[in-house]
Amino acid sequence: MPPEFARSLSDSHCGRQAASQFAKARSQPSFCLPPRLSRGLSAVGALPPQVRQFVEQSAATCRPDKVHVCDGSAEENRRLLELLQQQGTAQPLPKYSNCWLARTDPADVARVEGRTFVCTPRMRDAVPAGGAASGQLGNWMSPEDMRAAVSQRLPGCMAGRTMYVIPFSMGPLGSPLAKIGVELTDSPYVACSMRVMTHVSAAVLEALASGEQFVRCLHSVGRPAQPRASARRGWPCDPERTIILHKPDSNEIVSYGSGYGGNSLLGKKCLALRLGSCMARREGWLAEHMLILGITTPAGRKRYVAAAFPSACGKTNLAMMQPSLPGYKVECVGDDIAWMRFDEQGRLRAINPERGFFGVAPGTSSSTNPNAMRTIFSNTLFTNVAATSDGGVFWEGLESELPEGVAVTDWLGQPWERGSGRPAAHPNSRFCTPAEQCPIIDPVWQAPEGVPIDAILFGGRRPEGVPLVYEALSWRHGVFVGAAMRSEATAAAEHKGKVIMHDPFAMRPFFGYNFGQYLAHWCSMERRGGSKMPKIFHVNWFRKDSQGRFLWPGYGENCRVLDWVLRRVEGEDIALGSAVGLLPKPGSLRLDGLRETPDLQQLFSLPKSFWAQEVEDIGRYFEQQVGEDLPGEISEELQALRQRIAQM
Ligand code: O2Y
Ligand code: MN
């Protein structure tokens, strides 16, 4: 149990009851283990003292029937999957090798931003002056309210279940850029998924035995106060009381009520981004929502690029891109998160702290992402995709790959027909698959020192006004470009239309601290990198013409933009100043071999009225959401952009 919560609970009636029951349980055969997972018994006693204390205190509150310490082995995984099958949570997919399909409760299908909180003594440490306690740039909760939320939910929440103790490393164990966590969960599905997404092993416990710090992650799928009429067998959850809490001061996470993705795989968004961004600020590095790719030019020069995109912009597709330009090679380091730190030579180095991909299934196909398709048909846990009668999976986008005569069962377990008007797979259905299976995984993706980053891309889905690519005028201007990121998204259910949403650095749901301070931290990075700062660019693959047709082919053709970016990194004189940044000089963007010549005039035009409106929208957003926490450097950049646009 995290120290803060343990204190509050032991003060409460429930806490006292829990503690005495735990003491009783301990005088009986202490941690009883499921017969088939019995290797954990001795392991509890052998845990490093600080981990053992966390386990014992949490067990005293959550009161699981059994405790199992995970070792991450293949045998343990096999048994957990067998258990998931017995419980009706997952079924094997005989068409593939060791692939499984889990179906969640329909009320537990995605991250829940409104129930995700950062808990700090002062609200201003978590959210900027401009916003409210619950606003666009995060939700704040006081430590007292957090304690109350925990004590209303956790006591007895694991009764009848096993608590799995998952020691994990984010990043290769032993890397100076890696961090250790221990997740306690009552979900065997989470235990299996954490093994794919992070480095789970007994070696992590050995590192902890020599005194390393760790992030305390406590997760329960929960236990509703009243039985839910619509509950699904095999997927316990408590959607009405779901809550995800982060305490940056003490590196603690408590997640209750949901077994799904970002809510329950606590190494990912909770540790690697929310707490990660706080650790990064304290320790002078960057924890970002970015893919990392390696790209080798026909001349054999290899460079690495990190890129931040909001959801629905094809981040995983870009991370695994098959470049169309002859002689180019792209290799994948990571598709979602980058931890980046300047080394002693002033070079920015990045690791992917994850070990797997938790990718969106719908839309992934042999034409959009052939490398993902070559990754996911072994050792993969699919969630909420549709099943086929030949023992396989199906989702929207795979229509042309569905064998003749095969019947489809939708994500809810109902027979499904094409043209029924319902999706076969849930739009947020996922594959959870080991990154090492990706055919283009970078040979040094696990290098403890990380890979050197030469360029950072920010991007968004912008149907109007924003050019295919432009380069920031300086690091500071680049930070402004990240802060001003916007992207087209489907609006809330009541409208269902498309709206342009602000999503600075693609981090909007993931800031662990005040966004104004985050911007100041980014600006301060210039002092660490000096002359070796990566160049910053903004890209937009999604500009449309007046008929609503995309002006750029995207996918593998995006390597033409990467080619221009890399040539800029090499210092080629191929850029021309504009009001928004540096644009490709005429003729410098490679178009050879394209089936259709794109309309470059439209693709790079900068309509004055659009940009005048854009700068006003950005200014209003900063004023309303960041207020006086906006660093002076960023307001100066905004003002400079306003002036350049006025002079257009
Ligand atoms: O809905 C979820 O829980 C998954 S969210 C997610 C998963 C993988 C990569 N990125 C994200 C995201 O929301 O950015
Ligand atoms: Mn993401």
Side-chain angles (χ1 to χ4, degrees):
M1 190 67 190
E4 266 299 314
F5 312 138
R7 216 176 306 127
S8 75
L9 284 164
S10 59
D11 288 348
S12 70
H13 169 70
C14 288
R16 280 197 301 277
Q17 210 179 20
S20 73
Q21 287 194 3
F22 181 60
K24 230 187 285 160
R26 291 211 57 199
S27 62
Q28 290 158 11
S30 62
F31 296 99
C32 328
L33 297 163
R36 315 203 60 186
L37 290 171
S38 57
R39 287 194 316 134
L41 179 57
S42 54
V44 171
L47 288 172
Q50 72 278 33
V51 182
R52 183 172 179 167
Q53 189 190 36
F54 175 44
V55 173
E56 290 183 350
Q57 288 183 335
S58 303
T61 300
C62 302
R63 303 201 289 277
D65 281 13
K66 298 156 190 167
V67 175
H68 173 77
V69 179
C70 295
D71 61 13
S73 64
E75 174 58 13
E76 178 179 76
N77 189 49
R78 195 184 62 72
R79 290 178 178 191
L80 285 168
L81 287 164
E82 213 173 87
L83 182 65
L84 287 178
Q85 190 174 4
Q86 279 164 23
Q87 292 179 345
T89 313
Q91 65 186 66
L93 293 163
K95 186 167 175 180
Y96 317 119
S97 162
N98 189 30
C99 287
W100 295 74
L101 166 60
R103 291 199 185 103
T104 73
D105 187 298
D108 188 18
V109 292
R111 283 190 296 103
V112 281
E113 288 176 17
R115 292 164 181 269
T116 301
F117 296 86
V118 173
C119 306
T120 52
R122 289 176 312 174
M123 178 172 138
R124 190 85 173 260
D125 291 333
V127 292
S134 278
Q136 292 190 27
L137 290 164
N139 305 315
W140 171 79
M141 190 183 276
S142 71
E144 299 75 55
D145 287 351
M146 176 175 179
R147 277 195 288 272
V150 167
S151 49
Q152 283 156 14
R153 290 167 174 82
L154 261 54
C157 66
M158 294 188 184
R161 303 194 192 118
T162 297
M163 173 193 273
Y164 298 94
V165 179
I166 308 170
F168 65 97
S169 174
M170 297 306 292
L173 187 62
S175 159
L177 292 117
K179 298 282 177 195
I180 290 180
V182 175
E183 177 161 347
L184 312 182
T185 179
D186 54 2
S187 162
Y189 165 89
V190 167
C192 287
S193 308
M194 283 293 285
R195 178 176 179 268
V196 175
M197 295 305 297
T198 73
H199 303 260
V200 177
S201 79
V204 174
L205 291 175
E206 281 161 31
L208 288 171
S210 51
E212 272 221 46
Q213 295 298 308
F214 68 101
V215 178
R216 288 165 168 77
C217 309
L218 177 53
H219 169 254
S220 171
V221 293
R223 184 169 289 281
Q226 306 288 326
R228 296 173 56 248
S230 60
R232 201 186 85 71
R233 181 186 157 254
W235 195 272
C237 56
D238 188 359
E240 275 86 44
R241 298 195 301 160
T242 292
I243 198 157
I244 295 114
L245 305 164
H246 306 74
K247 201 154 184 294
D249 291 354
S250 48
N251 275 338
E252 297 170 40
I253 302 161
V254 176
S255 167
Y256 171 92
S258 163
Y260 198 79
N263 300 332
S264 67
L265 312 181
L266 301 186
K268 195 174 183 54
K269 304 298 182 179
C270 299
L271 193 162
L273 290 178
R274 297 195 192 94
L275 291 190
S277 61
C278 299
M279 292 188 250
R281 179 176 177 229
R282 285 197 292 268
E283 297 166 10
W285 49 280
L286 298 167
E288 299 302 326
H289 190 202
M290 290 182 179
L291 64 87
I292 308 165
L293 63 80
I295 177 159
T296 309
T297 65
R301 177 79 164 100
K302 181 154 191 187
R303 300 270 192 188
Y304 288 92
V305 173
F309 299 101
S311 27
C313 287
K315 204 166 150 199
T316 302
N317 294 350
L318 182 66
M320 299 182 193
M321 182 219 270
Q322 205 159 277
S324 64
L325 278 177
Y328 268 94
K329 183 164 79 172
V330 165
E331 286 161 302
C332 175
V333 176
D335 78 330
D336 197 38
I337 297 173
W339 281 357
M340 305 190 285
R341 191 190 285 260
F342 286 97
D343 67 13
E344 275 158 19
Q345 286 72 49
R347 287 212 81 180
L348 188 61
R349 291 195 161 266
I351 61 162
N352 166 14
E354 301 193 280
R355 202 169 82 103
F357 306 123
F358 191 70
V360 180
T364 305
S365 70
S366 300
S367 61
T368 61
N369 193 337
N371 287 316
M373 294 297 281
R374 286 183 205 115
T375 306
I376 60 178
F377 294 117
S378 50
N379 309 310
T380 297
L381 183 47
F382 294 91
T383 304
N384 287 343
V385 301
T388 56
S389 54
D390 62 347
V393 290
F394 175 76
W395 51 73
E396 280 56 39
L398 286 185
E399 291 78 1
S400 63
E401 300 178 43
L402 185 65
E404 280 290 310
V406 156
V408 175
T409 303
D410 74 8
W411 70 279
L412 293 161
Q414 303 300 319
W416 180 87
E417 296 288 340
R418 276 182 212 225
S420 65
R422 297 180 285 120
H426 187 278
N428 194 36
S429 55
R430 300 274 168 170
F431 50 78
C432 179
T433 195
E436 67 187 2
Q437 294 181 184
C438 178
I440 60 154
I441 198 71
D442 196 273
V444 296
W445 79 288
Q446 288 289 280
E449 71 280 12
V451 298
I453 299 294
D454 287 306
I456 293 175
L457 312 186
F458 294 123
R461 183 178 275 270
R462 298 303 304 263
E464 270 184 75
V466 179
L468 177 65
V469 57
Y470 63 91
E471 180 184 329
L473 304 168
S474 63
W475 178 259
R476 217 176 75 157
H477 178 233
V479 177
F480 167 81
V481 170
M485 275 170 65
R486 302 175 78 188
S487 195
E488 188 184 59
T490 306
E494 9 359 321
H495 316 290
K496 289 268 183 199
K498 300 274 174 146
V499 284
I500 304 293
M501 305 275 288
H502 291 273
D503 191 354
F505 291 78
M507 281 285 283
R508 190 191 49 75
F510 308 122
F511 292 116
Y513 66 97
N514 182 320
F515 170 57
Q517 295 162 3
Y518 169 96
L519 289 175
H521 180 58
W522 261 80
C523 288
S524 78
M525 283 294 135
E526 204 166 4
R527 293 196 287 277
R528 294 176 191 268
S531 61
K532 299 209 179 85
M533 296 306 281
K535 280 181 176 291
I536 297 180
F537 300 81
H538 188 279
V539 298
N540 172 27
W541 323 130
F542 302 99
R543 195 160 180 180
K544 290 180 174 171
D545 66 12
S546 54
Q547 311 296 305
R549 289 174 302 222
F550 287 113
L551 285 160
W552 180 249
Y555 300 106
E557 305 297 359
N558 292 337
C559 77
R560 297 169 189 278
V561 173
L562 295 182
D563 163 79
W564 186 81
V565 162
L566 294 188
R567 284 156 59 210
R568 284 299 298 149
V569 168
E570 297 291 348
E572 270 193 55
D573 179 15
I574 49 172
L576 209 55
S578 83
V580 302
L582 305 175
L583 296 172
K585 273 188 179 171
S588 66
L589 183 70
R590 282 189 59 183
L591 301 175
D592 48 304
L594 268 180
R595 246 186 270 153
E596 261 181 69
T597 309
D599 182 341
L600 295 183
Q601 191 62 37
Q602 282 198 64
L603 206 42
F604 286 99
S605 71
L606 298 173
K608 182 167 177 167
S609 58
F610 171 89
W611 277 96
Q613 184 61 52
E614 182 75 2
V615 82
E616 288 324 306
D617 291 350
I618 296 165
R620 193 171 336 102
Y621 179 73
F622 286 167
E623 218 169 89
Q624 291 174 354
Q625 298 296 326
V626 201
E628 63 191 50
D629 284 327
L630 191 73
E633 293 99 314
I634 302 301
S635 20
E636 283 166 26
E637 289 296 335
L638 175 69
Q639 188 50 22
L641 176 63
R642 190 177 275 125
Q643 274 168 12
R644 292 195 300 267
I645 287 164
Q647 286 158 11
M648 268 166 87

